[in-house]
Every structure is written in C-alpha cells, then in structure tokens.
Amino acid sequence: MAEWELNRPERLPLPQPDEEAEPFFAALLEEKLLLQRCANCGQLSHPPRMACAQCHSFDFEWSQVSGRGTVYSYAVTHQPIHPALVDHTPFATVQIELEEGPRMTSNLIDVPPDEIEIGMAVEVVFERVTDEVTLPLFKRA
Ligand code: ZN
C-alpha cells in the first residue's frame, strides 16, 4: 500500500472561520442559514466580508434566509483532488443562487452529477460534521 494511502485522512479539512465568518458558522450549528446584511444600504452578501461590496460600509447585521434557491452553475470533478476524495469521484461543486440573491458554493447530497440541471430548485440541509462544525449542503427541493 502506498504511503499516501496509509496516511489517508478520513475527511477533508474543516473550515477555520475567521472573525467575519464566525456568526455564519455559529448559526449553522443551530441549523439556521444567516447572511450578512449591510446596516447602511441593506445589501445581502456571501461569503462574509469585512466591508460591503456596494457601499463599503463596515456595519453589518445578520439576516436569516430561507435556504431555498436554484442551481446557478456547477463543475464536475473526476480526479480525487484530495486523498479523502478517492472513493467519492465524480462529484459536483455547485453554485446555488439563493432566492434572496447571493450565491453560495456547496454540494448536492441527493443528485448524481449527470442529473444536475441549471435552474434546478434546491433547499439547504444542515450536515453536522463534528460537534463544532455544521456545513450547509443542498438537496433537490
Ligand atoms: Zn452597503
């Protein structure tokens, strides 16, 4: 057995939230999907950022969103780009356009890559990976 197989991790590295992203990941633990909303102009944004892309304000609040959206785009990966993915190819990385506007990159849990369609209705599911990390994945709506 090759060395890399002996040292094969069971899963991909988990997110390490920075200061801006901490509220987003804390809400996921409670199975809530929050987006940053600019307190100055109301613009929703994702991923969390230091300043509003529209008006450059540093003032944000957090707004719970529906978790519903559609497939905006996707890419299918056939090569395992990480040892934890050896038994999981092909897989699709999907960009979801949330009904509130912002787009989120994720995976679909119940749709094989060759059945994904642009515009397909999807909704969030909360995947508890560890006691500290829950990830927002999506399923067919
Ligand atoms: Zn703004």
Side-chain angles (χ1 to χ4, degrees):
M1 185 175 281
E3 175 117 6
W4 69 268
E5 289 179 291
L6 292 171
N7 296 319
R8 192 168 137 192
E10 292 179 22
R11 62 176 175 232
L12 292 168
L14 294 173
Q16 304 282 318
D18 58 15
E19 187 178 334
E20 282 82 31
E22 178 58 40
F24 173 78
F25 284 98
L28 291 174
L29 290 172
E30 299 173 10
E31 302 199 346
K32 294 177 182 170
L33 191 61
L34 302 187
L35 296 184
Q36 261 185 336
R37 179 185 300 280
C38 175
N40 184 50
C41 76
Q43 172 86 8
L44 282 170
S45 62
H46 185 81
R49 61 189 70 197
M50 187 183 299
C52 175
Q54 185 163 281
C55 76
H56 311 296
S57 169
F58 293 103
D59 296 325
F60 288 98
E61 49 201 31
W62 290 89
S63 180
Q64 186 170 357
V65 294
S66 66
R68 291 188 297 270
T70 55
V71 173
Y72 179 80
S73 185
Y74 66 99
V76 178
T77 301
H78 294 270
Q79 294 184 327
I81 55 175
H82 184 277
L85 294 171
V86 166
D87 298 325
H88 301 283
T89 56
F91 67 90
T93 302
V94 181
Q95 198 164 47
I96 308 297
E97 186 167 79
L98 297 169
E99 65 181 14
E100 292 84 1
R103 297 180 193 141
M104 180 173 290
T105 303
S106 185
N107 303 110
L108 298 179
I109 61 167
D110 64 344
V111 186
D114 60 349
E115 293 180 22
I116 297 173
E117 294 178 20
I118 302 297
M120 172 182 282
V122 295
E123 63 185 357
V124 72
V125 290
F126 298 96
E127 176 81 11
R128 181 171 286 268
V129 182
T130 68
D131 287 345
E132 293 82 33
V133 177
T134 293
L135 297 176
L137 303 181
F138 286 81
K139 67 178 182 178
R140 201 186 309 247

